[in-house]
Amino acid sequence: MDERTETRAETFRERTTGASVELPYAGIDTFLKSSLRSPSDVAGVDAAVLGVPYDGAVSNRPGTRYGPGAIREASAWWAYLSGYKGGLTNMRTGREVDFGALDLVDCGDVPVFPMDYETTAESVTAHVATVAAQGAMPVLLGGDHYCTFPSVRGFAEGIDADSVGVVQIDAHTDTAAESPVFGEHFHGSSTHHIADTEFCDYEHVAQVGIRGYESPAFFEFADETGLTLYTQGDVATQGIASVVEAAIDSVSAGTDAVYLTFDIDAVDPSVAPGTGTPEPGGLTADEALTVMETAGARDEVGAVDLMEVAPGYDPTDGTQRLAAYLLVTFLERQFAE
């Protein structure tokens, strides 16, 4: 392409997109329209997004392999608005934010192996560790919740931590040691495996929003292991902000950093039906956003994920839109001044 043709192309691009602002449905789908970067080249950035398109460990409805792409696509709306308006005012908080100025990159998807959970887990660990070791905050897009286990392991290895605390926003505890149907490694066992690593134990795990049905004598299990448990009933009586603050306080004491994992099924399925194991009676959208506003304001949180979005079960696209908004909210509070 000669110089004149290249100049004409660039001029046309600016005319059709409004001063080089890319339309939300155009271009390459990266989170918040951020630049693509190799996981080994994120030194100096605030946060790096990694997708894990894997649902080989689900015990109910599949489809979370499509979560990362759907979340990225949904996130483009806020990048577009911020781009053509020159920044935005958050009407919930009154804060000013320019998402184009966030020091954020997208590292694409972690290689996954659909019929091999062990190799997939090793891949997740290696990629998250690579990002964390360079000082960037890992932001993981799931994928089923089993992937949180290798991600926590990778985060701890990357920051050379002796101990990591985990705050889990979820409908389910994921504490099964073994299933007669699914074995020892499935998305209902992720927290068990996290607590069994050298970096964590149940005394440094706090769960928020648990509801539905769990194993017999589960409250006794929580007491015996030291697991900090806030059911959805506790959220209703104590308030979501105070519960999240208390959860972070409990797991940050004596640890090097906190990993925040948000399973979208923590949100009521009337709001977020696009997930594999929906449970009635969950968080409202407002409460979910408050979770991210609260956690995003805490310096102890060094990594975050958003898991279990299965867009095929939500014809309105609302689930992935909420998931993207939750991460956008967290990143705004964590990094945008």
Side-chain angles (χ1 to χ4, degrees), residues 190-213:
S190 54
T191 306
H192 161 77
H193 289 295
I194 290 168
D196 198 37
T197 67
E198 61 185 289
F199 308 108
C200 193
D201 53 38
Y202 277 120
E203 292 184 356
H204 293 104
V205 175
Q207 299 181 329
V208 175
I210 305 300
R211 60 188 190 278
Y213 293 90

Side-chain angles (χ1 to χ4, degrees), residues 232-271:
Q232 187 64 22
D234 295 323
V235 170
T237 57
Q238 300 178 37
I240 187 61
S242 62
V243 163
V244 173
E245 292 280 13
I248 296 173
D249 287 342
S250 71
V251 303
S252 61
T255 62
D256 297 307
V258 173
Y259 186 110
L260 174 69
T261 177
F262 196 119
D263 187 324
I264 199 66
D265 71 23
V267 181
D268 192 81
S270 65
V271 177

Side-chain angles (χ1 to χ4, degrees), residues 170-189:
D170 205 332
H172 313 101
T173 66
D174 300 341
T175 53
E178 186 175 6
S179 162
V181 177
F182 302 106
E184 297 179 5
H185 293 269
F186 71 113
H187 72 163
S189 69

Side-chain angles (χ1 to χ4, degrees), residues 33-287:
K33 292 290 186 180
S34 57
S35 61
L36 279 170
R37 191 84 64 87
S38 167
S40 60
D41 184 29
V42 299
V45 305
D46 288 331
V49 175
L50 293 159
V52 186
Y54 181 77
D55 58 6
V58 297
S59 60
N60 196 13
R61 303 186 298 180
T64 58
R65 68 184 67 181
Y66 303 111
I71 295 170
R72 285 185 173 108
E73 182 178 2
S75 75
W77 177 249
W78 290 279
Y80 164 68
L81 285 181
S82 183
Y84 91 80
K85 291 176 179 287
L88 296 169
T89 301
N90 186 330
M91 298 305 290
R92 281 175 59 89
T93 64
R95 290 165 57 93
E96 299 288 328
V97 56
D98 180 359
F99 289 116
L102 281 179
D103 197 4
L104 173 74
V105 297
D106 195 318
C107 297
D109 288 340
V110 170
V112 299
F113 304 84
M115 304 302 291
D116 187 344
Y117 73 85
E118 291 177 299
T119 305
T120 296
E122 291 170 4
S123 178
V124 173
T125 295
H127 283 75
V128 172
T130 297
V131 165
Q134 297 170 78
M137 173 182 282
V139 179
L140 202 73
L141 311 179
D144 70 50
H145 216 172
Y146 180 72
C147 300
T148 292
F149 154 55
S151 182
V152 171
R153 185 174 62 189
F155 173 60
E157 291 178 1
I159 65 171
D160 196 22
D162 292 321
S163 180
V164 169
V166 175
V167 173
Q168 177 182 346
I169 315 299
D170 205 332
H172 313 101
T173 66
D174 300 341
T175 53
E178 186 175 6
S179 162
V181 177
F182 302 106
E184 297 179 5
H185 293 269
F186 71 113
H187 72 163
S189 69
S190 54
T191 306
H192 161 77
H193 289 295
I194 290 168
D196 198 37
T197 67
E198 61 185 289
F199 308 108
C200 193
D201 53 38
Y202 277 120
E203 292 184 356
H204 293 104
V205 175
Q207 299 181 329
V208 175
I210 305 300
R211 60 188 190 278
Y213 293 90
E214 279 295 332
S215 301
F218 185 80
F219 288 106
E220 289 83 350
F221 168 83
D223 289 340
E224 291 170 1
T225 59
L227 170 68
T228 299
L229 179 66
Y230 295 99
T231 67
Q232 187 64 22
D234 295 323
V235 170
T237 57
Q238 300 178 37
I240 187 61
S242 62
V243 163
V244 173
E245 292 280 13
I248 296 173
D249 287 342
S250 71
V251 303
S252 61
T255 62
D256 297 307
V258 173
Y259 186 110
L260 174 69
T261 177
F262 196 119
D263 187 324
I264 199 66
D265 71 23
V267 181
D268 192 81
S270 65
V271 177
T275 192
T277 311
E279 293 280 358
L283 299 175
T284 65
D286 180 76
E287 288 173 328

